[in-house]
Amino acid sequence: MDFEFSSSSSSDRRIGTLLRHLVGGSESLAMDPRSSVAASPTSGIAGGSVFAHLVQAPEDPILGVTVAYNKDPSPSKLNLGVGAYRTEDGKPLVLNVVRKAEQQIINDRSRVKEYLPIVGLAEFNKLSAKLILGADSPAIRENRVTTVQCLSGTGSLRVGAEFLAKHYHEKTIYIPVPTWGNHPKIFALAGLSVKTYRYYDPATRGLNFKGLLEDLGSASSGAIVLLHACAHNPTGVDPTVQQWEQIRQLLRSKGLMPFFDSAYQGFASGNLESDAQSIRMFVADGGECLVAQSFAKNMGLYGERVGALSIVCKAADVAGRVESQLKLVIRPMYSNPPIHGASIVAAILRDRNMFNEWTLELKAMADRIISMRKQLFDALRARGTPGDWSHIVKQIGMFTFTGLNTAQVSFMTKEYHIYMTSDGRISMAGLSSKTVPHLTEAIHAAVTRVA
Ligand code: LMR
């Protein structure tokens, strides 16, 4: 390629040299494979890759566990990493009611594959808000809530975070320690400044309520606070109703903005109402909040990526303007959400019989997890494994935060082919009566042989 550039000024000369490098002109930098020069744009155009300088990124700390598990040929391998429900036979579960809803959708020849509106399926949004805020929610009655369909929990959190980063006066979000590994990334990439508040006490394997109140008590006024609505991930430790009330009073008195992540409604206790109680306390006081809602776990719609973001406002006209701005956030990100998962959810939530059937299946999943807690606790006690394992039955939801350290986790993976996140979290939903003895043996060996 010919490129002519001539100029007398030194800055123009520098630009000329740079341009010649970019187009691979005669003054191109020499290619030395050991130097970073090999990674210059020139090398890409000359034949090497412009991406050659990239280092191999690490696997995701949660989803990467499945990648490692899939590579393991051992017949006794057990995946307790990702939070995905498994049956007693260790198989993924598609709920009967979901199959029914899908059949109904397929049979309906009037259905088309047109684009949804930017905010998603209107009926899904309405029903999702009702499910999480309650059928009798004053905020819904007064049209003070705007709900947009998003890509499961992560997508809902991201849209909410982008919206806050753009339109909310405070750019700091406080997240609990520990929290789900994706939270800090979602908020930081949206442009919020991420700070932490104490949540978990390793000594009691319970809530550090004093630390939580102190940290949020000294948070900058107006800051955003991430709260897990129920079944805190990864610890399985939730505040009591009385503690929630104290948290509510503190947030409201300091003008802090609650941003709820609700990934387990109905999945924690088996009851849709009690698992939404924390959120409803904040909505009942007439104040504002954001709620990210996921149907991955409670309807088993993991890969359908179906969720919703609700923003509860103080007045209907504000909610309308908030929605108009959410559309501006969503449109350049993914334009509009997918139709299938939201249609399944809407079909189940709109029909009384299907809704009832869903609640039964949901309760069965929650009960199986609760029974796994009991079985594992009993087995460790019977085995005489050193330590107090009562937190296994006290914690709630999909995960047990075992207290096993990174070295013990690695040992269990290497010697027993048990896969879990390195922080010692295990997905109780991946366990079954058949695999409890194997896990018990592995935990026993880890705590007795690895410091
Ligand atoms: C988990 O915590 O295992 C789940 O929420 C899955 C995920 O995306 O991390």
Side-chain angles (χ1 to χ4, degrees):
M1 184 176 189
D2 285 329
F3 182 75
E4 283 307 318
F5 187 91
S6 65
S7 172
S8 52
S9 93
S10 66
S11 80
D12 283 351
R13 262 197 306 278
R14 276 200 302 276
I15 295 168
T17 307
L18 181 65
L19 286 171
R20 272 189 291 276
H21 289 157
L22 287 173
V23 298
S26 58
E27 286 184 40
S28 290
L29 298 169
M31 289 277 291
D32 176 351
R34 289 157 307 169
S35 82
S36 61
V37 175
S40 77
T42 309
S43 56
I45 293 161
S49 171
V50 291
F51 303 118
H53 62 290
L54 293 186
V55 296
Q56 183 69 34
E59 288 285 358
D60 181 82
I62 296 175
L63 302 183
V65 175
T66 303
V67 175
Y69 168 84
N70 286 339
K71 286 185 191 153
D72 186 340
S74 166
S76 60
K77 66 180 178 176
L78 185 56
N79 189 359
L80 304 179
V82 68
Y85 186 81
R86 298 286 177 263
T87 62
E88 264 293 300
D89 297 326
K91 300 273 184 320
L93 176 69
V94 179
L95 300 185
N96 275 328
V97 73
V98 166
R99 295 244 188 250
K100 263 190 205 166
E102 284 189 310
Q103 201 55 58
Q104 208 180 70
I105 291 163
I106 288 166
N107 292 346
D108 181 355
R109 303 293 296 173
S110 70
R111 278 182 182 271
V112 289
K113 303 284 187 190
E114 288 294 286
Y115 294 122
L116 282 180
I118 296 172
V119 295
L121 195 64
E123 190 190 18
F124 163 85
N125 289 339
K126 211 170 139 215
L127 293 168
S128 299
K130 225 171 103 178
L131 183 73
I132 194 75
L133 303 181
D136 56 353
S137 168
I140 295 180
R141 204 171 48 241
E142 292 154 15
N143 287 320
R144 294 189 281 111
V145 187
T146 177
T147 302
V148 293
Q149 181 192 331
C150 297
L151 307 186
S152 205
T154 300
S156 307
L157 289 162
R158 183 64 186 261
V159 169
E162 296 279 342
F163 170 82
L164 290 169
K166 227 166 157 200
H167 300 293
Y168 186 58
H169 64 88
E170 248 299 332
K171 309 294 180 205
T172 304
I173 184 161
Y174 285 81
I175 62 171
V177 177
T179 193
W180 179 49
N182 222 11
H183 279 145
K185 298 172 197 162
I186 292 169
F187 298 121
L189 285 172
L192 295 172
S193 149
V194 179
K195 290 196 175 155
T196 57
Y197 66 89
R198 279 170 286 169
Y199 187 85
Y200 177 72
D201 182 356
T204 61
R205 293 183 182 154
L207 185 68
N208 182 355
F209 192 50
K210 191 166 163 281
L212 178 152
L213 292 180
E214 274 169 20
D215 290 351
L216 294 183
S218 57
S220 44
S221 150
I224 308 151
V225 179
L226 176 76
L227 299 162
H228 295 229
C230 69
H232 181 273
N233 179 2
T235 67
V237 171
D238 284 352
T240 63
V241 175
Q242 290 73 22
Q243 287 169 331
W244 271 119
E245 176 51 22
Q246 272 180 268
I247 297 170
R248 188 194 67 75
Q249 284 176 15
L250 175 65
L251 262 66
R252 291 313 191 200
S253 70
K254 288 191 58 96
L256 300 170
M257 174 63 89
F259 192 166
F260 282 98
D261 183 357
S262 174
Y264 304 97
Q265 189 186 0
F267 206 87
S269 67
N271 183 309
L272 285 162
E273 309 304 318
S274 34
D275 289 351
Q277 205 174 0
S278 57
I279 297 173
R280 292 180 191 175
M281 287 166 74
F282 280 77
V283 176
D285 69 13
E288 292 172 309
C289 67
L290 289 87
V291 183
Q293 198 179 349
S294 161
F295 289 94
K297 327 280 180 183
N298 60 9
M299 277 200 195
L301 293 174
Y302 306 91
E304 295 292 352
R305 310 309 294 146
V306 55
L309 171 73
S310 288
I311 303 189
V312 180
C313 305
K314 286 196 176 166
D317 62 319
V318 179
R321 294 199 295 279
V322 164
E323 179 160 319
S324 72
Q325 292 295 336
L326 284 170
K327 284 158 81 169
L328 298 187
V329 170
I330 293 168
R331 172 69 168 146
M333 279 174 93
Y334 53 84
S335 196
N336 45 70
I339 199 164
H340 188 67
S343 304
I344 296 170
V345 174
I348 294 169
L349 296 184
R350 91 161 74 91
D351 180 283
R352 185 187 289 268
N353 290 332
M354 284 171 91
F355 182 88
N356 290 340
E357 192 175 337
W358 172 48
T359 58
L360 293 178
E361 289 192 82
L362 184 53
K363 175 124 181 30
M365 289 193 286
D367 284 350
R368 199 186 82 71
I369 292 172
I370 291 166
S371 126
M372 281 306 112
R373 289 185 180 282
K374 173 122 184 42
Q375 287 184 38
L376 180 60
F377 173 66
D378 289 346
L380 285 167
R381 279 246 295 236
R383 183 73 180 79
T385 306
D388 170 12
W389 297 95
S390 61
H391 56 286
I392 297 178
V393 280
K394 284 189 206 139
Q395 294 173 356
I396 182 163
M398 207 152 202
F399 305 109
T400 289
F401 209 48
T402 57
L404 294 164
N405 63 35
T406 314
Q408 291 166 333
V409 170
S410 309
F411 168 84
M412 286 168 59
T413 305
K414 197 162 162 268
E415 301 295 328
Y416 289 83
H417 305 274
I418 291 175
Y419 289 79
M420 55 200 280
T421 51
S422 61
D423 57 3
R425 185 192 85 166
I426 57 176
S427 170
M428 298 308 289
L431 200 57
S432 72
S433 308
K434 284 186 220 114
T435 51
V436 164
H438 182 51
L439 178 61
T440 306
E441 257 334 287
I443 294 178
H444 187 87
V447 298
T448 50
R449 287 165 51 192
V450 184

